[in-house]
Amino acid sequence: MSPIVLLRNRRVRELAYQVLCVAAVIGCGWYLLNNALANMAKQDIATGFDYLGREASFIISDTPIAFEASDSYARAMLVGLLNTVKVAVLAIVLSTIIGTFVGIARLSSNPLLSRLMLAYVEALRNVPLLLYLFLWYSVIIFTLPPVKQAITLLPGVFVSNSGLVVPAFIWNSGFWVVAAAAAIGIVAAILWQRWASRRRIATGKSVPGWPVALALVALPIAAAVLFFDVSGELDWPVLGKFRLTGGAHLKPEFVALLLGLTLGASATVAEIVRSGILAIRKGQREAAHALGLSDRLTMRLVILPQALRVIIPPLTNVYVTTFKNSSLAIAIGYPDLVMVSNTIMNQTGQAIEPIALFMLVYLLLSLATSALMNWYNGRVALKGR
Amino acid sequence: MFRRACRIAAAALLLGTSAIAAQAASTLETVKARGKLICGVSMGTTGFALADAQGKFAGFDVDVCRAIATAVFGDPNKVDFVMTNINTRFQVLQSGEIDVLSRQTTMTYSREASLGIDFGPAVFYDGQGLMVAKSLGVNSAKELDGAAVCTLPGTTTAQNLADFFRATGKKFELVVFENPDENNNAFFSGRCDAVSSDRSDLASIRAASKSPDDYVILPETISKEPLAPAVRQNDSNWRDIVSWSAWLMMAAEEKGITQANVDAQLKSEDPEIQRMLGVTDELGPMLGLDKAWGYNVIKHVGNYAEVFDRNLGEKTALGLSRGPNTLWNAGGLLYPPPFR
């Protein structure tokens, strides 16, 4: 066949367009990259990732893992990444819980409640997140007293514009034993719950569920504490000359960011949940009521499980967005990945490499989030039987 | 911030596409052909570069730009100002978007060696300091063990702090803000005990506060920050023009030439003054400039002392003393090479 004839075939044509398009994109990217590298070489601008191994020589104050000024830039970026993941994952969990309740309350027959929730959703969705971050942060640092006049909520629990400080438990020994015991207990409890529910369905006889499960978690931990060398102590916060030392600190930058991300995402989650519920036919609710199920049980057992199928895909977007939005951290001084990368860029003068790195990280985080959610979606999706 | 990332990506893209064009002609030719100098300044720092309600820029860094524009065109207004972000300032220069970066930028070894830029002479000798509220009763930065310090993500700021506290065996909490307003708010609200930046910048922050008298800049200077204008590398003619424009203002102060008396000085018997003002020798054309470039710079912008007093000096909101920024023969660090 001649090429002209081939092009008359619709599928061949479509394929050709796609190949051309991909080739053009790759070509452009290749041209730009080459050009940038050539220009930088010509101007003697340093390139490459050698800087990652060099000493960072700055400190990060809010770190999930130990970090010293003498550690490398690579470890600094890891600290930033962990901070990003920490705040984003917490925001995702909290916003899902809050959003679900708000979404359900939006549909309440009580006009006061539903209007209030409407106001909540609209106020949070229609103002840029960055402004909310500034607002929450300003509220925290301007309404709470400075650390020297910190409010004492309970003995050892202080609130000030430098955050919340609580006594911390420091393990002297036996942390891993207790952790392993807790893991064993949790697995046993889950297995017990499954068995109990199967038995209830099969025989109609009710088996004690929660009390036994609780005991299954508590017993191994108690045994570990009794039979192994487990010790620790409480680290009490003390007011030093400037700051509270000791204890566990919750920094205001973290709280403001978490608050902003959580509330912002919760409004979107609420809308998604509401639309998911509205997508379920009225007959389902009526049928459940006819069976004698209460409103609460109807929602939990009939409506929400079906609504989940509609909810999951758009929810994935919210989660991915939350990860990306967490990069606004830099505005209010929370040391996330972007902020740490920025400091590194400033210090090394190399811009393209740190940006390429953090873009890659965000890409991977987003892809991982959607992969996980797609897997879950596949599990809850309606299966044709 | 993603917006920032986009800006940097855009700068990187410019680097990818436009740098070759900028490289083709010398910067002086490009500037002359354009009829205007494009100068990168900061985003708005009292005393250094700040636009008024009409959008007219004023400040020390701005006057350095005006001096260069005057050297090239004989007109201090033939300059466009571009506000540069602390993270993208070098990329903007590298990519050819601006001709000179005059932005409280510290001259360092690694920047000259690996960033594709060259520095002119230091026009302002600064150093990083710390400012605290007077009520804290602190008299020295060495007493700040355990304090929280707010700072902007300035290049070496965080490193200098870490070095300082490491060397003295003290601990501190670092809080870094992208936005100067948030940084200042955090300091004024007591979220941080101290704020750290170049001393000139601390003076700016203090000048902008409600009650400047409540704050004190601690005596320690924990770093050397020679602030200098920067140009693209490998254009020595352009670098010479930038350097000698700055030196001319210092030399003019040394010789007692001011905006007011520059016309009278044209009749001076001093041969160096005659060379500087283009009366006898022809220094200007050696760099591709007008014969009267030196006269023009002093006439329109003034000598170093005038520029300093107008923007930063004791009579301004910043109230800075000359400190190390006095002439060599008065015990300072300013030492213009001879005009001959």
Side-chain angles (χ1 to χ4, degrees), chain A residues 39-377:
Chain A
N39 276 329
M40 288 198 290
K42 205 163 157 186
Q43 298 183 39
D44 295 331
I45 300 169
T47 51
F49 290 93
D50 292 345
Y51 71 89
L52 278 175
R54 294 212 298 267
E55 184 183 287
S57 68
F58 62 95
I59 71 160
I60 304 174
S61 287
D62 205 345
T63 54
I65 54 171
F67 183 79
E68 299 284 334
S70 52
D71 285 324
S72 67
Y73 282 129
R75 193 175 172 89
M77 287 197 85
L78 177 67
V79 169
L81 170 63
L82 290 176
N83 274 336
T84 291
V85 172
K86 182 172 86 175
V87 76
V89 168
L90 263 172
I92 284 173
V93 171
L94 293 175
S95 65
T96 307
I97 296 170
I98 298 172
T100 306
F101 280 111
V102 173
I104 294 172
R106 254 306 247 114
L107 293 168
S108 162
S109 52
N110 178 341
L112 181 64
L113 184 63
S114 68
R115 298 271 159 79
L116 264 177
M117 290 302 128
L118 175 72
Y120 174 90
V121 167
E122 295 303 325
L124 283 168
R125 284 185 66 198
N126 293 309
V127 177
L129 178 58
L130 184 61
L131 298 185
Y132 272 117
L133 291 183
F134 286 145
L135 174 71
W136 303 135
Y137 190 67
S138 302
V139 164
I140 294 175
I141 63 169
F142 284 117
T143 56
L144 292 172
V147 69
K148 286 230 178 142
Q149 291 109 46
I151 306 165
T152 313
L153 289 182
L154 294 166
V157 180
F158 299 96
V159 175
S160 71
N161 71 358
S162 294
L164 174 74
V165 183
V166 296
F169 188 76
I170 298 177
W171 296 91
N172 288 334
S173 61
F175 169 75
W176 290 111
V177 180
V178 174
I184 293 169
I186 288 169
V187 170
I190 291 171
L191 290 177
W192 169 261
Q193 282 284 9
R194 278 195 178 176
W195 180 82
S197 113
R198 260 208 305 273
R199 189 177 147 84
R200 196 175 60 241
I201 291 166
T203 66
K205 279 182 204 144
S206 142
V207 212
W210 281 111
V212 176
L214 214 63
L216 281 175
V217 176
L219 277 177
I221 296 176
V225 174
L226 274 179
F227 295 115
F228 290 90
D229 173 31
V230 175
S231 63
E233 59 194 308
L234 277 178
D235 182 18
W236 287 87
V238 191
L239 187 60
K241 192 173 173 209
F242 300 103
R243 305 273 119 186
L244 290 157
T245 51
H249 293 238
L250 205 56
K251 300 274 167 69
E253 293 80 27
F254 172 78
V255 175
L257 182 63
L258 182 62
L259 210 59
L261 288 177
T262 301
L263 296 184
S266 75
T268 317
V269 171
E271 287 296 89
I272 293 170
V273 168
R274 184 175 69 98
S275 68
I277 292 172
L278 288 178
I280 307 304
R281 286 195 192 163
K282 215 167 84 185
Q284 296 282 329
R285 186 188 304 260
E286 290 167 354
H289 281 160
L291 284 174
L293 291 181
S294 68
D295 272 349
R296 215 165 55 90
L297 282 178
T298 304
M299 187 55 81
R300 217 184 79 198
L301 297 175
V302 179
I303 309 287
L304 277 184
Q306 298 186 75
L308 217 51
R309 293 168 191 151
V310 187
I311 290 172
I312 302 285
L315 212 52
T316 309
N317 285 337
V318 180
Y319 293 171
V320 169
T321 308
T322 304
F323 263 109
K324 293 189 288 187
N325 279 348
S326 70
S327 63
L328 290 170
I330 189 166
I332 53 166
Y334 176 69
D336 79 324
L337 180 63
V338 176
M339 197 188 105
V340 172
S341 303
N342 257 331
T343 306
I344 295 174
M345 261 188 277
N346 261 327
Q347 289 182 2
T348 61
Q350 282 179 265
I352 294 181
E353 291 85 355
I355 290 178
L357 264 188
F358 77 61
M359 280 170 74
L360 183 74
V361 169
Y362 277 102
L363 185 69
L364 292 179
L365 279 176
S366 297
L367 289 179
T369 309
S370 52
L372 200 71
M373 291 297 284
N374 283 341
W375 168 80
Y376 183 60
N377 192 33

Side-chain angles (χ1 to χ4, degrees), chain A residues 35 39 43-46 56-57 59 61 134 137 161 242-243 252-253 327 330 333 338 342 346-347 349 351 355, chain B residues 1-2 4 8 15-16 20 87 91 114-116 143 145-146 153 155 159 172 174 176-178 189 191 193 233:
Chain A
N35 211 357
N39 276 329
Q43 298 183 39
D44 295 331
I45 300 169
S57 68
I59 71 160
S61 287
F134 286 145
Y137 190 67
N161 71 358
F242 300 103
R243 305 273 119 186
E253 293 80 27
S327 63
I330 189 166
V338 176
N342 257 331
N346 261 327
Q347 289 182 2
I355 290 178
Chain B
M1 239 191 273
F2 266 78
R4 142 186 318 290
I8 302 177
L15 202 62
I20 282 187
N87 286 314
Q91 282 80 34
S114 69
L115 280 187
E143 297 168 31
D145 194 7
T155 340
Q159 280 177 323
F172 75 113
L174 183 69
V176 180
F177 294 90
E178 175 71 6
S189 74
R191 164 66 186 97
D193 305 299
Q233 192 165 268

